Amino acid sequence: MLRSLVGSEMCIRDRVRLVSLGEDRMLVEYDVEASTIVDGVCIVARTRVEQTAVATSMVWDEGFGTSDCMVMASDQYKFKFVKTSDLRCVKTVLAPTFGGPINRMLHVPAFDGGQGNCLAYSTKEKVIGLVQFPLDGNPNKTMGIIAHAGEISSMVVSYDGRYIITAGRDDYCVNVWSAHPASLEKMRRLGGEGIEPFNAMMEGGKDGEFYQEMIDYFYYAQIKAQGEDTTAPRKITGLVPMEQVPDLLRALGVYPSQWDIEDILNEIQAMGDAANPKTSINFEEFVKLYVNIRPVIGIAKEKIMEAFRALGAEPSSGIISRQLLTETLTQFGEGFGEEELAEVLEGLIGSSSLMQDPSQKNISAQEFAENVLGFADYD
């Protein structure tokens, strides 16, 4: 299904660019000048822009303050910034979580003394809302309200940004809403400045045990980067090399894929500029990165069962051959090397192989979750 079709004249080499984004996670660019009614639409390139998430909306609007980026919303409640030049993801931030994933995004121009200039969004059902620019994952800069009883079929913004007009499919209503983006600024100020809103999103807040663990791991990562076995004096610079960030996230319970890691490293480099890309981050930058990168929705029992079925497990019981599971882990997707898989299993179950016991030929999704992944509350 096609999710978005956007075009722009803010283009490279003075040409109009037209792109579409579908549920297949492919961003397709078209050659507008070469396309004709007779010959049809000519495709320039197809690029995969997501690995697991499904994009639900996309905009390319200089009003978002991102003339060199397209902004995508996904079903994992994230905004992603994709560079128009090379289609790399250079930023990921939290999106609003009211009422489901965002499926429409529009720019609301400023009209009330410069405190406007925000994003209007709608979800598939019931909810519309506003997000203050710049998009950075701060929850105090977002709001949402129930606008219709069921599905929202359309949404537009008036030319001056004063009104948002929505149409409901099931309630046969067209509602006109007065937009007051200045209220978002009041909410943002009440939520604190700088890193404060992100600290508040941690379990236990800034004074909690988890936050202290983050600090400990962050300082350990600085030591690790200098070599754990060296006797030379340590230099605590307050910066962690970007190569250490994936392990730092894993230590805190976030497990990025290689695809995710590439996006994370691109984002850190983009914190600098083209001439001097960043190669390390400080603690406050890491806190913001962690809050925006971590999954909004955890891995549920259904997801593990769904994954096992996709690998060929028996549909009702989720049972699969241990040998088939091992072969799949090493040969498909972001496959493990044999040594890497043995090392991971050794750390998880104390054995380098899932087939250590000849009498155990099969494994179920529940056994894998509880005995390998260590999920205590699988049921």
Side-chain angles (χ1 to χ4, degrees):
M1 180 184 292
L2 185 68
R3 283 295 186 176
S4 291
L5 180 70
V6 297
S8 177
E9 295 184 15
M10 303 175 293
C11 50
I12 300 170
R13 297 186 295 275
D14 297 322
R15 62 183 175 87
V16 175
R17 299 181 69 183
L18 178 68
V19 296
S20 66
L21 184 63
E23 288 189 357
D24 59 358
R25 305 179 179 91
M26 300 297 292
L27 189 146
V28 181
E29 181 171 356
Y30 305 93
D31 189 334
V32 178
E33 294 180 356
S35 300
T36 65
I37 296 175
V38 176
D39 298 327
V41 180
C42 299
I43 294 177
V44 175
R46 289 167 52 88
T47 307
R48 190 181 180 99
V49 291
E50 284 283 9
Q51 185 182 40
T52 57
V54 174
T56 54
S57 182
M58 180 176 68
V59 291
W60 187 358
D61 188 333
E62 62 182 350
F64 281 52
T66 57
S67 60
D68 62 340
C69 286
M70 291 175 274
V71 181
M72 298 188 310
S74 76
D75 64 348
Q76 295 182 358
Y77 299 97
K78 305 288 186 184
F79 288 128
K80 285 200 169 188
F81 293 71
V82 178
K83 290 282 284 186
T84 56
S85 56
D86 53 17
L87 303 182
R88 289 182 303 118
C89 176
V90 293
K91 188 177 182 181
T92 301
V93 299
L94 274 174
T97 57
F98 311 111
I102 291 172
N103 68 350
R104 289 183 188 83
M105 297 185 286
L106 297 171
H107 174 227
V108 180
F111 69 87
D112 52 355
Q115 292 185 350
N117 196 31
C118 61
L119 175 155
Y121 70 87
S122 70
T123 63
K124 182 179 180 181
E125 295 188 346
K126 299 183 180 181
V127 175
I128 66 169
L130 300 174
V131 185
Q132 187 184 47
F133 292 130
L135 305 178
D136 59 6
N138 182 347
N140 301 316
K141 294 164 64 175
T142 69
M143 59 79 63
I145 60 170
I146 295 177
H148 291 273
E151 184 175 333
I152 299 173
S153 58
S154 186
M155 178 180 73
V156 294
V157 175
S158 63
Y159 76 96
D160 57 1
R162 291 178 181 272
Y163 303 102
I164 298 172
I165 305 166
T166 61
R169 191 195 72 171
D170 302 319
D171 57 12
Y172 305 104
C173 289
V174 173
N175 295 333
V176 180
W177 306 87
S178 178
H180 295 281
S183 301
L184 292 174
E185 176 62 15
K186 295 176 183 177
M187 290 168 54
R188 185 195 66 78
R189 290 177 182 175
L190 289 171
E193 301 291 337
I195 196 66
E196 291 180 41
F198 299 91
N199 287 340
M201 295 174 72
M202 299 292 182
E203 182 181 350
K206 189 175 181 180
D207 299 324
E209 291 183 11
F210 183 79
Y211 195 86
Q212 188 58 53
E213 280 186 15
M214 287 190 73
I215 295 173
D216 293 342
Y217 281 126
F218 190 84
Y219 277 94
Y220 174 68
Q222 295 177 67
I223 295 171
K224 184 182 177 184
Q226 299 172 47
E228 296 173 280
D229 300 325
T230 182
T231 57
R234 305 291 186 178
K235 294 181 180 179
I236 302 301
T237 62
L239 297 172
V240 164
M242 66 181 189
E243 293 79 12
Q244 295 291 328
V245 170
D247 286 339
L248 198 47
L249 290 169
R250 292 184 188 108
L252 295 168
V254 177
Y255 304 101
S257 65
Q258 287 302 123
W259 180 291
D260 297 328
I261 289 171
E262 186 176 338
D263 287 350
I264 291 167
L265 298 183
N266 287 339
E267 179 168 346
I268 293 171
Q269 290 178 320
M271 291 177 185
D273 52 46
N276 297 292
K278 289 199 71 167
T279 58
S280 57
I281 59 173
N282 60 36
F283 183 69
E284 289 192 358
E285 290 168 337
F286 176 70
V287 168
K288 290 182 180 180
L289 182 71
Y290 169 82
V291 168
N292 284 314
I293 290 294
R294 65 180 178 179
V296 172
I297 302 171
I299 300 174
K301 170 183 176 180
E302 293 75 17
K303 285 289 183 183
I304 298 175
M305 180 66 82
E306 184 181 319
F308 264 58
R309 289 193 187 112
L311 297 178
E314 200 280 321
S316 58
S317 64
I319 293 175
I320 192 172
S321 159
R322 288 173 179 260
Q323 181 175 352
L324 177 59
L325 179 59
T326 301
E327 290 174 354
T328 302
L329 290 173
T330 56
Q331 295 176 14
F332 298 98
E334 293 182 352
F336 286 94
E338 291 185 5
E339 291 185 5
E340 184 184 13
L341 179 59
E343 182 182 345
V344 170
L345 290 174
E346 189 71 43
L348 289 171
I349 61 176
S351 172
S352 60
S353 173
L354 289 172
M355 299 180 289
Q356 195 79 8
D357 185 352
S359 65
Q360 300 286 330
K361 294 184 178 181
N362 299 320
I363 186 170
S364 69
Q366 182 170 351
E367 287 176 306
F368 186 80
E370 293 177 347
N371 302 333
V372 179
L373 300 180
F375 289 1
D377 55 349
Y378 181 80
D379 290 328

